[in-house]
Amino acid sequence: MVHQQSSQAHLSSNSDTEDMALLLAPRLAYFAGVARTEHVTRAAHEMNVPQSTLSRAMVRLEQDLGVDLFARHGRTVSLTPAGRTFLASVERALAEIERAAEEVRVDSDPAAGKVAFGFLHTLGAETVPGLLHAFRADHPRVRFSLVQNYGEAMLERLRAGELDLCLTSPVPDAPDLVARRLDEQKLRLVVPADHRLAARRRIRLVEAAEETFVTLEPGYGLRRIFDSLCREAGFRPKVAFEGEEAETLRGLVAAGLGVALLPPPTVPRPGVVELSVTAPRAVREIGVAWLANRPDTPPVAAFKKFLQSRRGNLLPD
């Protein structure tokens, strides 16, 4: 019972703090103006508000705080010790608000704003740099905050408002997201250079049913595609290693620790051979996703339009 009463008191304290903040916030700029000029009439003129409004606001502010912030000397005022303490915090708060306002104004600038853009690790070496290079040919001052991650993590960051849009696979299907398919990428069976299958150019996935696989961890989009293709081929894969990055898996294959189903590398990797998979059709779809019903800033809208214009031509040859 004591613990419950303590929790209720804590909740009440939090609520009182929020109520006080809502009560004080509209009058903080007025207070800073009067404190700066030490003259109510002059402050009212500078802030373009009636003197009576400003005087009442200062009286109410002192009443709400329960302390005297000013010593009054006719039409002039001076800060009390409590007023000087309060002013230091108020100036920091107002400066932070101004900084935040300027940041969102700059980020929304059509010519020089910012786009928070997420993408899969496997698209980071070649695809995304090429896209950004092409986009900035017409939008040279737009800035990007780039995030590389696996698909589910990026969708979580979209929902949290940390990303404006992302390139991901599989293309998500969720009521709170909008997604557009942009391209597809063939997956290949990667085997060691001295493997019994290394002399082949093409293979049906079922022919690798008895092999040991290295693959991405559960939760990754490529892992879901891999599991689905193996089911379609009629077998359950034997997985020896699970990793977080495709090129690490290629290294494991080159070391003879298994085979893998992966998208093509940016640069050919020595020690491995990559076979085309003829059945089932082994591809992954790449799409762009964003949060439904979220208004776009002009730079985000421009980049979204650019990405959709690359449909069918998103990935390098």
Side-chain angles (χ1 to χ4, degrees):
M1 181 63 70
V2 173
H3 176 72
Q4 183 178 3
Q5 290 173 345
S6 174
S7 297
Q8 289 174 343
H10 178 68
L11 290 173
S12 176
S13 175
N14 286 345
S15 178
D16 290 345
T17 300
E18 292 172 1
D19 291 345
M20 181 61 74
L22 291 172
L23 197 64
L24 298 180
R27 296 194 285 271
L28 297 184
Y30 287 170
F31 165 73
V34 174
R36 183 177 61 253
T37 62
E38 296 189 332
H39 199 286
V40 176
T41 303
R42 192 177 304 133
H45 177 73
E46 289 183 2
M47 290 187 285
N48 197 29
V49 296
Q51 179 180 329
S52 58
T53 299
L54 197 56
S55 296
R56 286 196 300 270
M58 293 305 94
V59 171
R60 287 291 305 276
L61 180 61
E62 290 176 313
Q63 291 174 345
D64 292 337
L65 289 173
V67 296
D68 291 329
L69 300 173
F70 298 102
R72 289 161 175 82
H73 318 281
R75 295 188 177 185
T76 64
V77 296
S78 61
L79 287 169
T80 65
R84 285 193 294 273
T85 299
F86 190 55
L87 177 63
S89 295
V90 167
E91 288 180 331
R92 286 195 299 270
L94 293 175
E96 180 63 19
I97 290 171
E98 177 58 29
R99 185 203 63 77
E102 179 61 21
E103 183 175 323
V104 296
R105 282 196 296 266
V106 169
D107 288 349
S108 299
D109 184 334
K114 185 172 73 174
V115 179
F117 180 44
F119 51 92
L120 301 169
H121 289 94
T122 49
L123 301 178
E126 187 173 3
T127 299
V128 168
L131 290 172
L132 298 183
H133 177 77
F135 177 75
R136 281 171 63 91
D138 293 324
H139 305 81
R141 295 171 57 206
V142 170
R143 296 168 295 121
F144 284 83
S145 172
L146 302 177
V147 174
Q148 291 178 266
N149 216 321
Y150 66 97
E152 287 301 321
M154 286 193 296
L155 298 184
E156 289 177 10
R157 297 186 72 165
L158 272 182
R159 292 182 170 106
E162 299 172 11
L163 291 176
D164 295 309
L165 63 167
C166 66
L167 288 181
T168 188
S169 177
V171 181
D173 181 13
D176 61 334
L177 300 176
V178 179
R180 298 286 183 267
R181 179 187 178 279
L182 297 179
D183 214 336
E184 65 178 32
Q185 189 175 43
K186 292 181 179 180
L187 303 179
R188 299 171 177 174
L189 185 71
V190 185
V191 302
D194 59 356
H195 192 274
R196 65 179 180 85
L197 297 173
R200 301 273 298 274
R201 296 183 60 186
R202 298 177 180 83
I203 191 171
R204 292 178 298 119
L205 190 56
V206 70
E207 295 180 75
E210 298 305 315
E211 298 292 332
T212 297
F213 282 84
V214 298
T215 185
L216 295 178
E217 293 178 348
Y220 283 70
L222 189 57
R223 174 61 181 270
R224 295 201 302 275
I225 294 170
F226 167 71
D227 289 341
S228 176
L229 288 171
C230 290
R231 284 195 301 271
E232 189 176 347
F235 70 94
R236 182 174 181 177
K238 294 178 290 187
V239 176
F241 296 92
E242 295 175 331
E244 297 180 345
E245 206 275 324
E247 287 311 302
T248 300
L249 298 184
R250 272 194 175 81
L252 295 175
V253 173
L257 298 175
V259 303
L261 193 66
L262 296 172
T266 303
V267 178
R269 173 75 181 244
V272 302
V273 173
E274 310 215 357
L275 313 178
S276 297
V277 178
T278 58
R281 187 169 183 266
V283 299
R284 67 168 179 172
E285 292 187 337
I286 307 293
V288 60
W290 61 88
L291 200 61
N293 302 317
R294 177 181 174 180
D296 291 332
T297 62
V300 171
F303 189 56
K304 185 184 294 183
K305 182 178 179 180
F306 165 79
L307 287 177
Q308 293 182 87
S309 74
R310 304 286 294 230
R311 183 174 182 178
N313 193 34
L314 182 80
L315 304 172
D317 293 336

